[in-house]
Amino acid sequence: MTATPTAAPTAAPTATPVRDGVAAEILLVAGILLATLTEAVAGTVLSLGRGDIMGDTHATPDEFAWLDIGYTTLKLIGFMAAPWLMTRVPPRGVVVASTLVMGMACGIAALTDRLDLLVALRTIQGFAGGTLLVGAQAILFLACPRSRQPVLQALFAMGAVVAPATIAPAFQGWLLDSQSWSWVFFSVVPLAMAAAGLLLIADGPMPAAAAPRPFDGFGFALIAVAFFCVTCILSQGSRWDWFEEPCILWLAVTGAAALLVFLAQQASMKGRGLLNVSPFASDAFSFAFIVSFVAGAALFGSGFLIPSFVLSVLAFTPTEAGLLLLPSGALFVGSLLMAAFLIQVRRVPPFATVPFGILAIMAAMWMLSGSTAESGAGDMMATILLRGLGLGLLFLSITLIAFGTLDRWNLAAGIGLFNMGRQLGGLMGVAALQTLIDHDVAANAAVLGTHVTAGVPMFIERLTTTAAALTAKGLEAATASRAATTLLGRSVTGQSTVIAFDTAFNAVALLFVIAAPALIGIKIGLSRRRMARAARFRRAGTEAR
């Protein structure tokens, strides 16, 4: 069914006439694609550049964590605030302003190594990125015909999903190895300027701002507190052993209280507050939102696991780690375009490609669970390509399912909620996998350590052989013996880490094994609810006649 707004709008977003439809649409899409690339580069800079930035800023892990917390918190807030901004400023203005702010913040970040300034700039980048993504996707739906949305949304996904997952790591790894982390930030500046220029000269069907709504300052403050607490808990909980740390416990209590008060306050405002839940009146959006949450956990989780594994276990350089993911980007793009062709040209229902995407991601994660410390890029390439194929088949479909039934008044709110769900799913997925790895490394080391004792013949043989090899290279016998013991301990730790990562890869595959039946049940339940509602409407119509 089509969602209806809770409060009757006084004006709908409208589009200006098109002077040259095809050229305008090309400029518009190119500008939006470049704008999303600015967020892709800025948003993922810490994944490979963490060590370099920590060294140059002399930051401790706790201090450095604020760069992540600030960006993610403000990005979530941006997802919520963007629909309101679009009632005050036309969507094109929101995207152009956000893109220029992103470029300015990245340009300043490239010129400083002061941690406090970088934290402030990361918060600005996060808010700009959140509003940019919502505004850009809304423009495509509002300004372009629905018949062309499969291809247009596939192009949007290339910048919003493919680039952060595959292209940005390769680009950043090359810059980190050849230049420095500041060049990663600096590279955003020309992208932002080009994107803003294309959007400003695009003479296409630009949607106007909707009827303005008053700013819900109290609701904004409450949800900001809730997002801050959630981000702190999920990003730092593993390091602090979760609720064993009083600070994490207090953050959980504060965040839960802020969220409950926010929901109560929004319910009392009856659609006039910051939160618009009207999109959930659409069964299709509700289903796609849940799938997006699970898919976000898989996307962000696998995006965290693969680089972490190759950097920490296989000792890849940042460039090698980035290049490992790059080929999957081609298959990701190919599967997006294939899904767009099937949906737009062959009229295949979007839901049809979802099971294939889920199965491909499951198979890829299961195959990666067989990785060892001797694995190389060639051993992992087939599985990484399969992951790219699955992500392309999944993400375009759930996007079209989510927004295909939303009207123009609820579209921006739906896009914000959808992106928020995917981001929160990703945060939870990464937090769960990080905790699993940390606990498994310690548990595996304890189990393997029971076989590395003085009374075990294999241990004595391995220790003697290693010590003899070191002695042959010129070390004294006592020094060689101590070094052999140290090397054997490192070997145990390394093997424990490999097993922990393999378990984590399996966990991502099992996520879909568990989630798939639940998603099917939810889909059936929503379909029955829709049919029951339609039956009631028919009966009411019959009685009225």
Side-chain angles (χ1 to χ4, degrees), residues 73-347:
T73 300
L74 268 294
K75 186 175 181 179
L76 289 169
I77 294 172
F79 289 149
M80 292 292 293
W84 175 83
L85 282 174
M86 291 170 62
T87 68
R88 297 283 177 167
V89 181
R92 175 164 63 173
V94 171
V95 176
V96 170
S98 299
T99 303
L100 291 175
V101 168
M102 176 71 81
M104 179 190 69
C106 288
I108 298 173
L111 301 175
T112 183
D113 58 2
R114 283 182 49 190
L115 184 65
D116 55 348
L117 181 56
L118 282 174
V119 171
L121 292 169
R122 287 296 284 172
T123 61
I124 295 172
Q125 293 166 15
F127 187 80
T131 55
L132 184 158
L133 291 176
V134 175
Q137 194 165 23
I139 286 177
L140 290 178
F141 274 105
L142 294 171
C144 303
R146 291 274 175 151
S147 61
R148 292 203 291 273
Q149 287 305 317
V151 170
L152 293 174
Q153 293 305 315
L155 294 173
F156 177 82
M158 292 179 193
V161 183
V162 178
T166 59
I167 300 171
F171 175 67
Q172 292 169 1
W174 171 71
L175 282 177
L176 288 168
D177 284 339
S178 62
Q179 303 294 331
S180 69
W181 59 268
S182 61
W183 279 88
V184 179
F185 282 121
F186 185 73
S187 67
V188 175
V189 177
L191 286 175
M193 294 177 65
L198 288 173
L199 290 170
L200 287 172
I201 65 174
D203 188 30
M206 294 300 173
R213 290 191 291 115
F215 179 63
D216 180 13
F218 184 56
F220 185 87
L222 287 172
I223 199 62
V225 171
F227 281 149
F228 172 76
C229 293
V230 167
T231 303
C232 287
I233 292 169
L234 293 177
S235 62
Q236 301 301 306
S238 177
R239 291 184 60 240
W240 294 105
D241 202 16
W242 295 101
F243 299 109
E244 297 298 322
E245 170 62 35
C247 180
I248 297 295
L249 183 61
W250 278 110
L251 284 170
V253 172
T254 304
L259 180 60
L260 290 174
V261 175
F262 172 75
L263 294 176
Q265 183 249 0
Q266 295 297 300
S268 69
M269 297 188 73
K270 298 179 180 179
R272 297 188 302 274
L274 184 66
L275 178 64
N276 180 5
V277 296
S278 298
F280 287 108
S282 166
D283 295 340
F285 178 84
S286 299
F287 173 74
F289 178 86
I290 298 171
V291 176
S292 176
F293 186 87
V294 178
L299 173 66
F300 285 81
S302 59
F304 157 75
L305 285 177
I306 295 172
S308 297
F309 177 75
V310 300
L311 288 171
S312 62
V313 176
L314 304 184
F316 278 28
T317 65
T319 299
E320 291 170 336
L323 290 176
L324 177 66
L325 295 173
L326 189 58
S328 69
L331 206 59
F332 201 157
V333 170
S335 62
L336 281 171
L337 295 176
M338 179 178 67
F341 172 79
L342 291 174
I343 296 168
Q344 182 169 316
V345 179
R346 296 298 184 183
R347 306 299 180 188

Side-chain angles (χ1 to χ4, degrees), residues 5-11 409:
T6 55
T10 58
W409 295 282

Side-chain angles (χ1 to χ4, degrees), residues 362 508-517:
M362 285 173 53
V508 178
L510 289 173
L511 169 66
F512 280 114
V513 172
I514 297 170

Side-chain angles (χ1 to χ4, degrees), residues 11-37:
T14 57
T16 59
V18 188
R19 197 157 56 214
D20 185 351
V22 176
E25 193 168 292
I26 291 173
L27 288 173
L28 176 66
V29 173
I32 287 176
L33 186 58
L34 288 178
T36 57
L37 285 177

